[in-house]
Amino acid sequence: MGPRGGRLPPGPLARGGLTAGLGLLLALGLPQGDLRLLADPARAVALRQPEALLLALIGLLLLLLLLLPQALLALPGRLLRPLRGAGRLLPAGLLLLGLGAGAVEAAADGWRAAGVDWHDSYLGAYALLHGDLVFYAPYRFPLYPALGGALSRALGLPLPQALQLLSLVALAGIAVPVAILGRARLGVGPTVAAAACALGLPSLQVNAHAVTPYPLFAGAFALLLWGLVEAAGGRLRGWALGGAGAALVFLADVKGLLPGLVGLGLLLALLPALRARPGRRLGALVLALALGLGPTGAAHGWMAGLPVIPLSLEEHSARVLEDGRLASAASSGTVFGQLRGPLQPIRALMDVQRALSAPERAERVAQHRAGSLQRLRRDFPGLTWRSLALAGLGLLLPLRGPRLRGFLGGAVALLLLATTGGLAGLEYQERYVLHAAPWVILGLVGGLCAGSGALLAAARGEVARPAGGLMGALVVVFALAWPGSPLALGRGEGARLDPSTGGGGEQALAAWSAGALRPDDLLLDTTWMMSGVLLLGHHAVARVPGDYPSLGVPFPQGRWRVSRPWPAEGGRRLALVGRRPAPPNQVRRAETNAGQRILDDPGWAPIWESTRGELVVLEHRGAEAPAWWLPGGLSGPSAHGRR
């Protein structure tokens, strides 16, 4: 009887070929990476050698393992045998690990509302929760603020904490598909190593509790990718997961249009792979089609029924590219709110691509792409195409037997990841590194561990596979601990949110206002990004027409936008002014012209200032209001526009 599975046993030829290949790897890597620099990480980084050093270290360790006696190679397998049943607990374990790590990050930042442009999402949640629609930022899609407001109402949480909890759960939830797919294709050990390594990624650390839609987008993208891999294996649940993921990607942000459309297209293309019992195939195909496309139709209906209309892709692009043709084409509808036929999203993408390809925008588009790549390299600054190529090879090596049938799933997942590169032509794409970071790290680290085990198994037999995986895990531990590594956990400390821009001043203002503001006070917020957002719903906050958030629900000409609760007559006249940074011996100027006019007016006196001095509240001391105070009169509930 031949060997099990019909495979030839490893012999001198396989071992010799592998040894020669590793020797070639060392010959190419050692001249570029002097292993003595492992003791001097600062110099290694300065010479741009960390990647070459790690590759040379991997090759050297594999060569040493090839020379070990068979009994020593089998030892890791015997030691790890009691842990084989732990794979069933991997999704729940990684989910708890993600939730715990995110909670630690949030506690380290004081559970304060923060994140890139977090004011937009907070204003949207406040507007939908309290009905003050003039404060809705229309360049944000409503899924994240609507869910955050519903969570706040259901759990009785303050709105900032409800939005943070939603981001934390969405980002930690990525651990479930990562665990399931990684366990099935790479094994438990490589997946655990990848998850541990992902905890050090700056993009995950910074966004763990951010009040932004990007963690929710990343979670929806993971659900879509999981569904595609399951559908490639012919399982009906793949179309259910993928359809739900595509709908959520569409609703999370306007830039989800491209990956959402590609995901739906891949779900349709995978219909022939659906496995069904004889005689029931037609019904299974109809059910899969309904599961794949039905959630997107429901998403369209939900968004169309909202009292706000987000900007369409064309309108977003017109603002970024300053293209009047796009703006005029966008005025008749939005991506979901007024869908103009099934081909409208595809035409929108083609119009944007034509605008991006115009010669007069080449320089600006190049700047956006350069900025996006720079942000992408924050997570993997020392890695080049060599590491990505080796990771891809490592992912292919373990594919044997049933795992080989999962190759199609990996291919469609990589295709979906590749399509998101089209977002690089639009502004702010760098924030979308978040959705790809967990999968890139799974390929890099999981591919290293699983690939090392597969290489040793080919040369020394299956008993050597655990030793290769253990070696890969030890390299990962070294990469996490070595300061010169692109994956070092310590690098994430420098990516923490700056308190001056990350919500610290806004939180301090909210804490002060709880005992200092009276029910009849009216606070005019003159800051650029409306730093008084946390006061909304508790105190009357006013904004002048045309100020951020702009492009909202139409508001009566000449009137201020005043939030609920409405102030009574006769209260104090207060103003919130944001001040720009300045050298120690220079006067800090206001962020806006309105704020500077108040700072220059001797009739205004400061009554509160943040610790860092970026925010200051002033009270008008005169008996009469300034001439420009409340032009057109105070606006009440009837002045609020509706759809």
Side-chain angles (χ1 to χ4, degrees):
M1 178 180 287
R4 183 179 178 182
R7 294 179 56 191
L8 293 176
L13 182 61
R15 193 179 311 164
L18 181 59
T19 304
L22 292 175
L24 180 61
L25 175 65
L26 285 173
L28 294 175
L30 283 177
Q32 301 180 53
D34 187 350
L35 289 177
R36 292 174 297 182
L37 290 177
L38 291 174
D40 191 355
R43 186 163 176 246
V45 172
L47 296 175
R48 298 183 180 181
Q49 291 193 358
E51 182 194 41
L53 286 172
L54 290 176
L55 293 179
L57 180 63
I58 294 169
L60 182 61
L61 290 176
L62 283 174
L63 273 177
L64 292 176
L65 287 177
L66 284 174
L67 301 177
L68 285 179
Q70 194 78 2
L72 290 178
L73 282 178
L75 184 60
R78 290 198 296 270
L79 294 176
L80 297 175
R81 191 171 300 160
L83 301 178
R84 289 180 179 177
R88 294 188 297 270
L89 304 176
L90 187 61
L94 291 188
L95 176 61
L96 292 177
L97 178 65
L99 289 172
V104 169
E105 290 293 332
D109 285 323
W111 282 98
R112 56 188 170 88
V116 179
D117 289 348
W118 67 271
H119 306 75
D120 298 349
S121 298
Y122 187 89
L123 283 170
Y126 162 78
L128 293 175
L129 183 62
H130 293 278
D132 282 353
L133 301 183
V134 291
F135 286 95
Y136 185 84
Y139 32 85
R140 299 296 178 200
F141 267 32
L143 179 63
Y144 177 71
L147 289 179
L151 194 62
S152 174
R153 185 185 295 110
L155 300 182
L157 291 174
L159 189 54
Q161 279 68 54
L163 290 167
Q164 288 178 293
L165 180 61
L166 177 59
S167 294
L168 177 58
V169 171
L171 198 57
I174 299 176
V176 175
V178 165
I180 293 175
L181 298 181
R183 178 186 62 187
R185 282 154 181 81
L186 300 176
V188 175
T191 305
V192 172
C197 199
L199 296 179
L201 295 180
S203 63
L204 296 183
Q205 289 182 348
V206 170
N207 288 281
H209 61 100
V211 181
T212 66
Y214 308 114
L216 185 61
F217 179 90
F221 184 88
L223 188 64
L224 173 58
L225 191 146
W226 182 16
L228 286 174
V229 175
E230 294 287 351
R235 290 173 284 273
L236 184 63
R237 63 175 177 268
W239 279 268
L241 293 170
L248 293 175
V249 163
F250 281 131
L251 292 176
D253 194 87
V254 67
K255 297 186 187 73
L257 181 62
L258 181 59
L261 286 175
V262 172
L264 288 181
L266 290 173
L267 285 176
L268 294 177
L270 289 171
L271 281 174
L274 179 63
R275 291 181 295 184
R277 295 178 181 179
R280 298 184 178 181
R281 182 165 180 79
L282 180 59
L285 287 174
V286 172
L287 180 58
L289 193 63
L291 291 173
L293 300 181
T296 297
H300 162 66
W302 176 76
M303 183 179 282
L306 291 175
V308 294
I309 305 179
L311 296 183
S312 67
L313 177 68
E314 303 102 311
E315 289 167 317
H316 272 281
S317 303
R319 293 178 64 237
V320 174
L321 301 172
E322 299 175 359
D323 191 315
R325 291 170 299 175
L326 286 176
S328 62
S331 59
S332 58
T334 67
V335 171
F336 276 102
Q338 298 175 19
L339 191 63
R340 305 189 303 273
L343 298 181
Q344 182 260 336
I346 299 177
R347 287 196 298 267
L349 288 172
M350 295 175 64
D351 289 340
V352 172
Q353 182 58 41
R354 281 194 293 269
L356 290 172
S357 303
E360 62 270 17
R361 294 190 181 84
E363 182 178 356
R364 185 170 183 181
V365 170
Q367 291 175 351
H368 284 314
R369 291 185 187 277
S372 299
L373 291 175
Q374 183 181 8
R375 291 297 184 92
L376 289 169
R377 289 174 182 140
R378 284 183 60 200
D379 274 338
F380 311 104
L383 300 179
T384 66
W385 64 269
R386 292 175 298 183
S387 289
L388 295 175
L390 287 176
L393 179 62
L395 288 172
L396 292 177
L397 287 174
L399 293 178
R400 66 191 193 284
R403 294 178 181 174
L404 188 59
R405 294 194 294 270
F407 177 72
L408 179 60
V412 296
L414 289 176
L415 181 59
L416 183 64
L417 278 170
T419 59
T420 59
L423 299 172
L426 296 179
E427 198 173 20
Y428 302 146
Q429 186 273 343
E430 67 272 7
R431 300 168 196 175
Y432 283 80
V433 64
L434 182 64
H435 77 278
W439 304 103
V440 172
I441 206 68
L442 181 64
L444 287 171
V445 178
L448 167 63
C449 297
S452 300
L455 285 172
L456 280 180
R460 303 293 300 273
E462 284 296 322
V463 293
R465 186 181 294 273
L470 181 61
M471 184 277 296
L474 292 177
V475 172
V476 170
V477 171
F478 176 78
L480 291 173
W482 185 50
S485 168
L487 306 176
L489 287 174
R491 275 191 321 104
E493 295 300 318
R496 283 196 179 278
L497 295 170
D498 183 357
S500 65
T501 58
E506 289 88 341
Q507 183 168 297
L509 173 65
W512 169 82
S513 68
L517 293 185
R518 307 165 189 166
D520 56 352
D521 290 338
L522 178 61
L523 178 73
L524 173 62
D525 189 339
T526 69
T527 58
W528 179 53
M529 285 287 287
M530 195 171 180
S531 296
V533 289
L534 297 182
L535 275 60
L536 296 175
H538 307 284
H539 304 285
V541 181
R543 296 285 280 178
V544 297
D547 276 358
Y548 170 94
S550 59
L551 306 176
V553 177
F555 201 68
Q557 183 67 29
R559 292 182 181 269
W560 290 7
R561 296 175 290 179
V562 182
S563 70
R564 292 180 175 88
W566 311 109
E569 296 292 340
R572 292 183 297 174
R573 293 179 285 270
L574 306 175
L576 174 64
V577 177
R579 298 191 294 194
R580 301 181 184 277
N585 297 326
Q586 294 186 14
V587 177
R588 301 180 69 167
R589 295 187 60 81
E591 296 175 327
T592 61
N593 293 332
Q596 189 61 45
R597 180 167 56 174
I598 291 174
L599 291 180
D600 294 338
D601 188 340
W604 291 85
I607 60 174
W608 177 84
E609 183 175 330
S610 61
T611 304
R612 298 168 63 96
E614 75 274 17
L615 295 177
V616 59
V617 176
L618 302 97
E619 179 181 357
H620 190 260
R621 301 296 193 186
E624 299 293 332
W628 48 267
W629 188 262
L630 286 179
L634 181 63
S635 56
S638 61
H640 274 65
R642 288 294 183 266
R643 189 175 180 176

